[in-house]
């Protein structure tokens, strides 16, 4: 396990369809984050898990979005009824449990295109 | 005012020169600061972290932090064409529940190192 792994790397879907992305964090990291990045912008925070608990959600995470981390290991991000505005790179990151000033490492991302 | 501000560039420097990338932030209680490098179409890669005022050096990279001025910078010495990328400044907002690293990113500065 050499890093954060995301699957799939690319997803093209039709508007209105549901999509689900998976993230496997670095094994000893109990903190997991989801971000979204659009062209020309920096990543924007979506949600944060510590172990299996979802501790914070951004206002960007509308009710069409849901994230889970059922066993405190991998996480999934589901988008229901996709819209063209959901097209973006979805990034997962993880960090170790020591304190709050810890480094977060990103996976390769899942690039979503809604047509 | 944006929470984290960076000049979008492009910043062009000749090979072998020093590249200086700058970032300002608005939240005075920010505790930790990170520089990520992002190649086109790829995910952000952590290259430097800094937590206290002053300089921190790692190889050809030096991060500088001035909390009084709310300013953080990244110097890249002996710039190489492979350094050509977008550099993202990220700031930790410490109020996230349970600790963790909720990062706020700037839009990034595009660096071009020319032969």
């Amino acid at each position: 396990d050499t890093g954060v792994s995301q699957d799939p790397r690319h997803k093209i879907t039709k508007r209105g369809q549901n999509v689900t992305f998976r993230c496997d964090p670095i094994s000893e990291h109990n903190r997991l984050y989801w971000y979204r990045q659009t062209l020309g912008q920096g990543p924007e925070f979506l949600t944060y898990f510590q172990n299996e608990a979802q501790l914070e959600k951004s206002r960007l995470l509308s009710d069409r979005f849901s994230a889970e981390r059922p066993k405190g290991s991998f996480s999934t991000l589901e988008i229901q009824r996709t819209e063209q505005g959901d097209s973006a790179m979805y990034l997962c990151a993880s960090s170790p449990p020591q304190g709050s000033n810890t480094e977060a490492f990103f996976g390769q991302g899942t690039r979503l295109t809604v047509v | 005012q944006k929470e984290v501000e960076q000049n979008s560039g492009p910043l062009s420097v000749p090979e072998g020169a020093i590249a200086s990338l700058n970032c300002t932030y608005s939240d005075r209680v920010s505790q930790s600061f990170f520089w990520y490098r992002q190649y086109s179409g790829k995910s952000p890669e952590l290259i430097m972290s800094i937590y206290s005022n002053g300089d921190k050096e790692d190889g050809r990279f030096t991060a500088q932090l001035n909390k009084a001025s709310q300013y953080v910078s990244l110097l890249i010495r002996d710039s190489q064409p492979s350094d050509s990328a977008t550099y993202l400044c990220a700031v930790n907002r410490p109020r996230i529940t349970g600790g963790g690293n909720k990062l706020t990113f700037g839009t990034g500065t595009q660096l071009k190192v020319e032969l």
Side-chain angles (χ1 to χ4, degrees):
Chain A
D1 187 358
T2 57
V4 179
S5 179
Q6 292 188 245
D7 184 71
R9 297 287 302 276
H10 302 274
K11 178 70 176 179
I12 299 175
T13 191
K14 291 184 178 180
R15 189 174 51 187
Q17 297 296 304
N18 299 344
V19 294
T20 300
F21 310 140
R22 177 181 171 123
C23 172
D24 288 88
I26 294 170
S27 58
E28 62 268 27
H29 289 185
N30 69 332
R31 294 168 174 170
L32 186 148
Y33 316 83
W34 286 97
Y35 288 82
R36 179 173 69 186
Q37 186 177 25
T38 55
L39 196 62
Q41 302 297 314
E44 296 174 295
F45 172 82
L46 292 178
T47 190
Y48 159 64
F49 290 87
Q50 183 169 296
N51 300 312
E52 67 278 4
Q54 188 174 20
L55 298 185
E56 187 159 345
K57 293 194 293 185
S58 165
R59 285 171 292 180
L60 293 175
L61 215 64
S62 75
D63 56 5
R64 296 186 298 107
F65 288 71
S66 63
E68 294 182 343
R69 195 182 182 197
K71 297 182 179 179
S73 56
F74 74 91
S75 175
T76 58
L77 177 68
E78 180 183 18
I79 309 174
Q80 296 181 326
R81 306 181 303 279
T82 52
E83 301 173 355
Q84 287 188 322
D86 297 331
S87 296
M89 173 84 88
Y90 289 84
L91 295 161
C92 177
S94 70
S95 66
Q98 299 91 344
S100 59
N101 292 340
T102 55
E103 298 172 339
F105 299 90
F106 284 89
Q108 315 97 310
T110 294
R111 184 169 297 282
L112 173 67
T113 303
V114 181
V115 297
Chain B
Q1 181 186 9
K2 291 182 180 179
E3 294 180 65
V4 180
E5 294 207 54
Q6 296 181 256
N7 188 322
S8 61
L11 172 66
S12 293
V13 299
E15 184 178 7
I18 296 174
S20 178
L21 304 162
N22 305 314
C23 172
T24 58
Y25 60 94
S26 61
D27 191 341
R28 286 193 170 274
V29 300
S30 298
Q31 293 180 337
S32 50
F33 308 85
F34 305 89
W35 285 98
Y36 286 83
R37 177 175 63 199
Q38 187 171 30
Y39 294 112
S40 181
K42 304 296 184 182
S43 65
E45 175 191 7
L46 179 67
I47 54 172
M48 287 290 287
S49 59
I50 187 165
Y51 307 111
S52 55
N53 282 328
D55 295 359
K56 178 182 178 182
E57 186 174 320
D58 184 0
R60 296 188 296 114
F61 299 99
T62 299
Q64 300 174 317
L65 175 61
N66 183 328
K67 290 187 177 181
S69 300
Q70 296 175 235
Y71 177 90
V72 57
S73 65
L74 179 70
L75 301 178
I76 306 174
R77 289 182 298 281
D78 188 24
S79 296
Q80 301 297 310
S82 59
D83 295 326
S84 298
T86 296
Y87 289 79
L88 296 163
C89 173
V91 174
N92 179 19
R93 301 179 68 190
R95 288 182 286 273
I96 191 170
T97 304
N101 234 7
K102 178 181 177 180
L103 298 175
T104 301
F105 285 83
T107 55
T109 298
Q110 185 183 5
L111 173 66
K112 293 184 176 180
V113 180
E114 299 169 333
L115 295 171

